[in-house]
Amino acid sequence: MAFRSEEYPLTAMRFKLSIKGVDDNFASFAYCSGFSYKQTSVFGRFGDSGVTGGNSMLTGFEFSPITFRRGVIEDKDLFQYVMRAPHEFKNIPSILDDKTMILKVLKDDGEPGVIWTFKDCALTGYQLGPMDASRGEILMESFTFKFYNLEKEIPLTKSVKT
């Protein structure tokens, strides 16, 4: 028997990012690139698997980087946070205190609908968008993070039987 909630599917328009050590202004962003998981495997025959038999073995996996973009705001703390990265290089080029980010997709009522926790994060890129005085665009900055572990949580919600 399937269950569905009247609050789903969630829209991609309301989300919030939390990083330990950075104020909530960082949560103000207009774009999240999305992310993916890919694993690689090889096919091989083992033992008496015969001509047509065989197994696939996992040989590796990778999470794609995730990019957050927003208009430039008066926030020098975040820029200083980004500029500390080259000086705090360890095994992973990370400046996150506990190397964890939390991305919440919010429902219409402002409560979290889905929560992704990115673990072992590393800031891998910062980009300031182009400046062209002949255009009336917002100046954008982008932050790219690599992560090495992921958890997904769906908070308890009222469900309706279908």
Side-chain angles (χ1 to χ4, degrees), residues 59-116:
T59 58
F61 68 93
E62 179 180 13
F63 292 102
S64 67
I66 187 168
T67 298
F68 300 97
R69 193 174 303 140
R70 70 172 189 183
V72 173
I73 62 173
E74 293 178 354
D75 179 14
K76 89 175 180 185
D77 291 340
L78 180 58
F79 184 74
Q80 289 173 345
Y81 173 86
V82 169
M83 291 297 104
R84 283 196 325 258
H87 307 291
E88 296 186 17
F89 185 92
K90 301 212 178 12
N91 292 333
I92 302 170
S94 177
I95 55 172
L96 305 179
D97 292 337
D98 63 1
K99 299 180 182 175
T100 299
M101 296 187 310
I102 299 171
L103 177 64
K104 297 177 183 178
V105 178
L106 307 176
K107 299 184 290 190
D108 289 340
D109 62 4
E111 293 297 315
V114 178
I115 301 169
W116 280 278

Side-chain angles (χ1 to χ4, degrees), residues 106-155:
L106 307 176
K107 299 184 290 190
D108 289 340
D109 62 4
E111 293 297 315
V114 178
I115 301 169
W116 280 278
T117 302
F118 303 92
K119 296 187 174 186
D120 301 322
C121 296
L123 176 69
T124 59
Y126 170 81
Q127 179 181 5
L128 182 63
M131 295 180 226
D132 184 351
S134 66
R135 302 179 66 140
E137 297 175 347
I138 295 174
L139 181 60
M140 301 293 285
E141 58 186 347
S142 298
F143 306 86
T144 301
F145 295 89
K146 184 77 175 150
F147 60 97
Y148 299 90
N149 201 342
L150 177 66
E151 291 179 5
K152 179 180 177 181
E153 175 187 347
I154 300 175

